[in-house]
Amino acid sequence: MDIRKLMNNFEKNIFYENITIEGAIVLDKNMNVLYEKRWTPDYPRDIYSNTKSFTSIAAGMACSEGIIDLKTRFGDIIKSERNYDSKINDITLENFLTMSSGFNAPYLMYFDRREGHGAEDYLTYMLNKKVVTSSGSSFCYSSADAILAGIMIGKVVGTSLKEYLYKNLFSKIGINFPIWEGDLIGHTCGASGLIIRLEEMAKLGVVVLNKGMINGNRIINESWYERAFYPHFRMENNIWNMGYGYLWRILTDKSIYMATGVFGQETFVFPSEEIVFSVQCKEETNSAKLNAIINECIIDNI
């Protein structure tokens, strides 16, 4: 595979289509930079829902440590004196990771949070909602599911999701302590608001590429990894046949894994080629047009 040739074609199409891209990078399985191109200075930026991929890996680490299980129920570890829908107690960590909690509504999405929804306490906000479908039965993309997964992880590890990831992952792979959105009482937003550099974002893809191995040390059990990157639900997409794993998307025809954030904050993991490709883009970017270029210039040629 000629990385330079693929990327030259990618750059030409980015220029022709006037995509407001900030940077693109390709890493190999050893985190070596095979290609990097900057269109703007390399500053940390909000990666929006690509953040969910980091919450997924935190869940894998905690499960592999044996301090939580995929079948652990919300009510097993979260205790509250509030009156709330008792069906919330039966939602499992796996339900949250697969966006099948049963709330069946897109709660705590980006624009809702900007308006202040849940700002004081994500957990209390969601305890006021109702479970309307059987947990695990259907898919509904919702930032609330990723946030509640992160809160469960934080509870069992005894610290915030951000601190847990920094101490146990970020510091080991060269990701600086990040700015990361949270509520007023300290819950990390496990769905969005992580502000990191492009190469740092891509490094998580390398952890996935290596099936949870870092420097010869396994941080995620293989059994968890296989379930995490299995398409538990189908997703609507105009370009790819796509399934949803544990807060990651799976291009099922190509066996490619994708972490995505609005406005084009994308990471693609190519297991067969042992590379990771990531891009970060400005807020006005048309991500559908960007992904069409990625499909034509890269995916269709691998």
Side-chain angles (χ1 to χ4, degrees):
M1 178 182 57
D2 189 337
I3 294 289
R4 174 51 59 182
K5 182 177 179 180
L6 291 177
M7 293 302 111
N8 282 343
N9 194 27
F10 172 75
E11 289 180 28
K12 289 176 184 177
N13 279 269
I14 289 293
F15 176 78
Y16 293 147
E17 295 293 338
N18 195 30
I19 300 296
T20 50
I21 193 170
E22 295 174 339
I25 194 168
V26 177
L27 301 182
D28 68 12
K29 65 180 182 179
N30 297 312
M31 296 192 186
N32 297 314
V33 177
L34 302 182
Y35 161 90
E36 185 172 13
K37 170 75 174 181
R38 297 299 314 181
W39 286 263
T40 66
D42 185 15
Y43 296 125
R45 62 115 58 244
D46 191 341
I47 64 170
Y48 297 99
S49 284
N50 195 304
T51 301
K52 294 178 175 69
S53 63
F54 289 80
T55 301
S56 172
I57 296 305
M61 291 164 58
C63 286
S64 298
E65 290 178 50
I67 54 180
I68 195 170
D69 186 85
L70 288 167
K71 301 306 179 185
T72 299
R73 302 180 317 127
F74 181 85
D76 293 335
I77 58 176
I78 304 293
K79 309 299 180 184
S80 175
E81 299 300 321
R82 299 181 58 86
N83 292 321
Y84 61 92
D85 184 351
S86 63
K87 288 183 285 188
I88 294 176
N89 285 330
D90 293 326
I91 304 171
T92 67
L93 177 62
E94 186 172 47
N95 295 153
F96 286 131
L97 294 174
T98 55
M99 298 285 184
S100 61
S101 63
F103 287 117
N104 209 36
Y107 292 121
L108 292 176
M109 302 297 280
Y110 173 74
F111 291 107
D112 292 330
R113 297 196 313 279
R114 295 289 71 76
E115 292 178 0
H117 297 279
E120 293 187 2
D121 180 353
Y122 298 140
L123 179 57
T124 296
Y125 179 82
M126 288 308 300
L127 288 179
N128 286 319
K129 306 305 179 186
K130 296 291 185 182
V131 175
V132 297
T133 61
S134 177
S135 298
S137 65
S138 61
F139 176 87
C140 178
Y141 189 86
S142 172
S143 286
D145 281 19
I147 289 171
L148 291 174
I151 289 174
M152 288 180 71
I153 295 162
K155 182 69 172 178
V156 297
V157 301
T159 187
S160 68
L161 177 67
K162 175 170 68 174
E163 184 177 342
Y164 176 66
L165 276 170
Y166 176 71
K167 289 181 175 178
N168 295 280
L169 179 65
F170 292 178
S171 62
K172 300 181 187 302
I173 61 174
I175 298 179
N176 292 326
F177 189 77
I179 298 170
W180 196 338
E181 180 185 346
D183 65 21
L184 293 180
I185 66 169
H187 294 130
T188 304
C189 181
S192 187
L194 175 60
I195 299 176
I196 55 177
R197 293 172 52 245
L198 174 62
E199 185 175 348
E200 293 175 323
M201 189 176 85
K203 284 180 175 180
L204 189 80
V206 177
V207 174
V208 170
L209 180 63
N210 290 327
K211 297 187 176 182
M213 297 285 290
I214 298 177
N215 299 323
N217 298 312
R218 178 165 295 284
I219 64 166
I220 296 175
N221 292 338
E222 288 190 69
S223 59
W224 188 94
Y225 180 93
E226 295 301 327
R227 287 189 64 81
F229 295 95
Y230 173 83
H232 296 268
F233 292 95
R234 307 299 303 178
M235 297 186 70
E236 294 295 327
N237 188 273
N238 293 328
I239 303 177
W240 302 298
N241 290 323
M242 188 173 284
Y244 203 77
Y246 291 170
L247 304 179
W248 281 78
R249 300 168 195 234
I250 296 99
L251 282 60
T252 54
D253 290 348
K254 303 282 188 175
S255 297
I256 296 167
Y257 311 139
M258 179 184 182
T260 183
V262 70
F263 309 122
Q265 324 313 322
E266 317 284 21
T267 296
F268 293 85
V269 179
F270 297 87
S272 63
E273 302 297 328
E274 297 188 322
I275 60 170
V276 172
F277 171 69
S278 291
V279 296
Q280 291 180 343
C281 298
K282 296 180 180 180
E283 270 68 14
E284 65 263 35
T285 299
N286 183 325
S287 57
K289 187 179 289 188
L290 168 69
N291 284 335
I293 293 171
I294 292 172
N295 186 64
E296 177 183 349
C297 297
I298 301 174
I299 292 176
D300 277 353
N301 291 286
I302 285 181

